Amino acid sequence: MKGSRCLHQLKSLRLLSHAGRLLPPAAGDNGALFRPRSSSQLGGLQCAQREVLRHFHSSPACTKGQPARFVQEEDKTRDKSLVTHDDLFEQVAKEAKTKATFNKVIDVYTKGDIRRRGHVEFIYAALKKMPEFGVEKDLTVYNKLLDVFPKEVFVPRNFIQRMFNHYPRQQECGVQVLEQMENYGIMPNIETKVLLVQIFGEKTHPMRKYQRIMYWFPKFKHVNPFPIPEQLPEDPVDLARFSLTRMANDWDAKVTVYQLPCTDVTESGAEVTLPHIVGIQSPGQMEALAKHNPDRPVFVEGPFPLWMRKTCVYYYVLRADPTPPEEKIEEPYDPERCLSYPLQLDLDLDRDLGDDESFDVEDLDEGPVFAMCMTSQGDQATLNQWISGLQESNPILGQIPTLFRLGAGPRELQGVGDADSASRSWFPSHVQREEAHPGEEAEAVVEEAEAVVEEAEAVVEEEPRRSQGVKQ
Amino acid sequence: MMNMNRLIVFSRTFRIGQRLLGCHARHAGKEELRLQQRRSIKTHSRHLAYAKDLFLGQVNKAEVFPYPEIGNDELEEIKQLVAPVEKFFSDDVDSAKIDREATIPPETLQGLKDLGLFGIMIPEEYGGLGLSNTIYARLNEIIALDGSIAVTLAAHQAIGLKGILIAGNEAQKQKYLPKLASGEHIAAFCLTEPGSGSDAASIQTRATLSEDGKHYLINGSKIWISNGGMADIMTVFARTEVEVDGVKKDKISAFIVERAFGGITSGKPEDKLGIRGSNTCELSFDNVPVPVENVIGEIGGGFKIAMNILNSGRFSMGSSCAGMIKKLIELTSEYATTRKQFNKSLSEFGMIQEKFAMMALNAFVMESMAYLTSGMMDRPGIPDCSLEAAMVKVFSSEGGWICVSEALQVLGGLGYTKNYPFERFVRDCRILPIFEGTNEILRMYIALTGMQYAGKILTGKIKEMKKGNIGLAIGMVSKKLRASLGASVDLGLTGKDGVVHPSLEDSAKKLEQNVSLFGSTVESLLYRYGKTIVDEQLVLKRVADVLIHIYAMTAVLSRASRSISIGLRNHDHEVLLANTFCNDAFFKNNYWMVQLQKHSPENNDANIKKIAKQVLENRAYICSHPLERTY
């Protein structure tokens, strides 16, 4: 209801302004039609407008003849019309690539040529340039771009036109605008709809496209149960905190900042940058670690990549091999456990097959993960610092041998040209490009876990290297 | 016509009455003989398995019919006891003040002591009143008029000193009971700990034997101890090291701890919603030396003692709630009959009438259940009525809560103010489903105890069936078919050897039908879940609910039959109540049992679990706000 009301208002307003804009250069007899009308007579006005517009592109023969004359006129008045639309953007881009300049280009175009000649080419060019100007996610810009299309002209007026593809090139272009919006996840609004109705009319291809977008976008909006915010935290510590919480997905897990990043100057004058170390551990993990058999080593593994939108961060885990079956002790049932009711029934009856709703899933014991951390510097010294921090709340770590199985650290930044990565290059542990995959090495290490432990390869470091008070 | 009917009913009544009383002479002179006879009936060996037998679809009618009676002299005694207590409670107890000031004034406590209410069940040789469970229940009807006093007294004698009473040795009894009976010393029961409610394994309080072997040193802290601030004698449960078969193990032991031993500090009294006058606080024990002779029972045997104490203390809640509701009916009916709206008094409105009927029904059922259970407990031997007591507790605590809130509703806004006692009753009543074992835990207890009992007996049969014994299966199917075709179930409550009065025949039939269906439901549940039924809490809840309602039906039928037979005043009203309740319970039971026969996707259990899981995973209500939009 509201939509249609809005539509109507906008339509009439636009018509007015349109009419106003049309007036000065239009032929006198056309303009005369408007003058006596007041804005209150919208219905009449619309009819009049329609007539005028019909006149606007009346007979093909006529339009064919006209352009030549117009071009000549344009040539006389402005040099710019010779310039291709791409160049128009290039010219402006020399100053600054902002939304304001982008809008200016559109304004220059719309005001410059009342016939909007070549508007399809212009719109294609603009679409291409949008990411460059950083307006690819701006709905108002898309609407402004759609506004470039002349109104009412392409609206089919009879069933034959409606049946066949009326002004296919223009419709195609309109669809392309919507397509780009879709690709960037921009949801059109009611103004877009109004524009599309005015430009192409109901039940045309762009309108269908619009409807499809409006059908699916809201449905997909919350489809991700773990949404990532549009703006990731800038501070590496905050980012680590955010990504660790996200991975742990445990309300009780506690994030501890073991070390804040800071720069120190040593006595010798050398600058030392201390990396940040942020870890996460839940009470359940602490409990599991406390129950861990101290004879079996725990491993610090990493770095593993975690992608969040266009950012990749790396994390390290403290884990152990799955407990071998012979070490698993099931707690015996204690009949004196519950004061109120029997916790187990002393019956020799099992669940009937018909009520067994469990799935037959092959269980693969992966071994427990006791804690996770993120740091900007994945060397052993730094990770050792994390382990000593953990030891404060998990005293048992002092007795368990800790092995470091570290893969090659994240590779150097690639694709520095990316605007985003340039601004974040001070944070070495995340990379902006998909190519970086240091996780592969880490996985290899995991696969060869046993072998690695025995052969004590370069990546493996025995716990004694850790200089700590508490020893096995 | 009416007269004729009445005449017929009367003559029937007479006959049944005769039958029920059997050869009991009704002459005053033969009172002695009658008592003796009853005693002889009492002493025969008993299984006490009424509730458990229901799980097998059997009605052990000898257990519950006829409704237990007390002797005339005992009745006389009760009347003598009740009158002064009633007077004391109406004249000398200012419940509003107790609630406001969150303390029971010393003179009120003294009054209670003088009445002997601190030692109702302590035998006379130790200075108590030595009364039976039945009379204890009767007194509780009055005591319950003030929640704070009721809880104080219950914490003292229903749990606090119960340990000494049921498991203490002679010396301990001699030493402690007299002072406890007189109220000179107040008792408390210390079991709950910050990390442990029903979980005995997480009791942290520890008792260690001193080097000289004469004392145990108790360390730890206990929370939510009723009377904790004023108790002089405490039953404390603590972990002790016990050697079993050469292996050292931690086991729970019970100790009698005097405050005078030193090292006990009580925390600030808790600020509670209701029962504000009762003292609840934290107690911490710091190296409290307890002489070895103060161990109750044997060392390491605390678990059984705790369980027995808890199980035996519950039955009185039925009469307490009934007493409270009876009082509420008096208070609200006056308002409902005098208050006028649209030139009609409130009592003429159907929805108000419904509330009163509901209250009367609930009071009647609770009373019937409570005194049936107390009567069973009073029989000689060591009756195990824990299942029945738990059912009484669950039914009455929930019924009580509904009644109290409906009573308040009758008064509307007035009831919500502090000018009337209803808001206090509502607050006080809220504790009932929580303490002495939460209703959830008791439901588990009720259902699992019965399942265990039935499972033991049915295992063989079910195994045969699972193996594909065709004979058994055909028997089962034909039984089910017969039942579904409406063949009446006869468990012997009515008819030739019937124990139920003919005017209750319909209700008795409904009970029989329910019991028989319950039996087959239990069987199919055991067939389906086996021992994994422990994890099916939603199933167990329904099982418990059905059982509670079957027991309630039994109680009202038994009571009303007796009332008609001996011609108690207003027994026709009892018949009305009994029939109404049975009708209602019959439908409820059928509904629950139909649900029990379905699988979880059909009876909503799967959905309920899923909803809860999603909510709990997010620790929030996760729906989007209805005003939210996506575009």
Side-chain angles (χ1 to χ4, degrees), chain A residues 187-188 214 217-219 221-222 250-252 334-355 357, chain B residues 191 198-201 303 306-307 441 444-445 448 452 455-456 462-463 466 527-534 536 599-600 617-619 630-631:
Chain A
M187 179 140 42
M214 289 309 276
F217 263 34
K219 284 188 173 41
K221 197 172 180 189
H222 297 293
D250 185 340
W251 288 75
D252 297 317
D334 178 10
E336 296 200 351
R337 172 88 195 255
C338 181
L339 278 162
S340 318
Y341 60 90
L343 290 175
Q344 272 183 27
L345 287 189
D346 177 23
L347 290 180
D348 191 22
L349 286 171
D350 284 321
R351 210 182 177 85
D352 192 53
L353 287 175
D355 280 274
E357 277 149 21
Chain B
L191 177 68
S198 289
D199 187 355
F303 183 83
M307 230 167 68
I441 270 188
M444 290 290 283
Y445 171 72
L448 285 177
Q452 173 72 72
K456 278 269 177 228
I462 292 171
K463 283 200 154 175
K466 285 201 177 181
Y527 183 92
R528 283 169 54 189
Y529 297 111
K531 61 185 171 194
T532 63
I533 197 161
V534 184
E536 301 290 330
H599 288 252
S600 59
E617 259 171 16
N618 293 280
R619 300 195 185 175
T630 49
Y631 61 93

Side-chain angles (χ1 to χ4, degrees), chain A residues 30 84 102 108 110 125 143 152 233 272 295 351 393 411 432:
Chain A
N30 279 346
T84 62
F102 194 86
V108 165
T110 41
N143 282 342
E152 304 280 322
V272 178
D295 296 339
R351 210 182 177 85
S393 47
R411 281 184 211 149
Q432 312 286 337

